[in-house]
Amino acid sequence: MTTKSLPLTPELHAYVVAHGSTPDEVMRDLVEETLAALPAEARMQVAPEQAAFLTFLTRLVGARRAVEVGTFTGMSSLAIARGLAEGGRLTCFDISAEYTDVARRYWARAGVDDRIELRIGPAGDTLRELPHERHLDFAFIDADKVGYPVYWAELVPRMRPGGVVAVDNTLRGGRVLAPSNADDRAVAAFNDEVMADVRVEPVLLPIADGLTLARVR
């Protein structure tokens, strides 16, 4: 099978960002603060083109009720909140008050803090507090990789028909082909689980470190 996918050089990545994914001042400042304050963890922040895509996708599905698992310093939640339909709400699940304190400041600065509820605690437990009916329009999973099957199991039954679940880091830098650690093995197994799940229609896109989208039947 031939491929038309291009390797994304730094120069080509800059072109992509400049032609449709350019962060505004709030997002640029958030990126800079995260890099300065948390250089070892900054890689957990979504890429700028991914943030733009999350806003686009949230608008596309007309999301009013959204969930995020794994918030870090708030780039992806800011992007999702900006795409919500009028009256929409985003519930964020994270275990770190330190990281999400940064997120709170930027949500307020962007004027979206009134749309976001943050719940601190292990998401495997706190997700179970959500209503059990199929009420969610959009969900984004970007947390500890070994927890992906747990978050998937809690979220998919709560998605409305036609709702979309997005899952980050599903290529693991290409290491899904030859997993070298527990996280790689967990994601490779999770990808197989998603493909076998008859409740969804999945597609894995080579955006950033791999982004799986699954439309719930």
Side-chain angles (χ1 to χ4, degrees), residues 95-137:
I95 59 171
S96 172
E98 176 190 1
Y99 296 159
T100 55
D101 280 349
V102 178
R104 286 181 187 273
R105 287 195 283 107
Y106 281 89
W107 296 339
R109 183 175 164 189
V112 298
D113 52 325
D114 61 335
R115 307 174 203 173
I116 303 175
E117 176 190 357
L118 175 64
R119 301 187 186 183
I120 298 294
D125 298 327
T126 50
L127 280 171
R128 297 188 181 100
E129 299 170 3
L130 292 171
H132 287 277
E133 62 264 21
R134 301 182 68 178
H135 66 290
L136 297 175
D137 303 304

Side-chain angles (χ1 to χ4, degrees), residues 194-212:
V194 171
M195 283 301 298
D197 195 329
V198 297
R199 300 171 297 175
V200 301
E201 304 166 56
V203 59
L204 200 169
L205 302 174
I207 297 174
D209 189 31
L211 183 67
T212 293

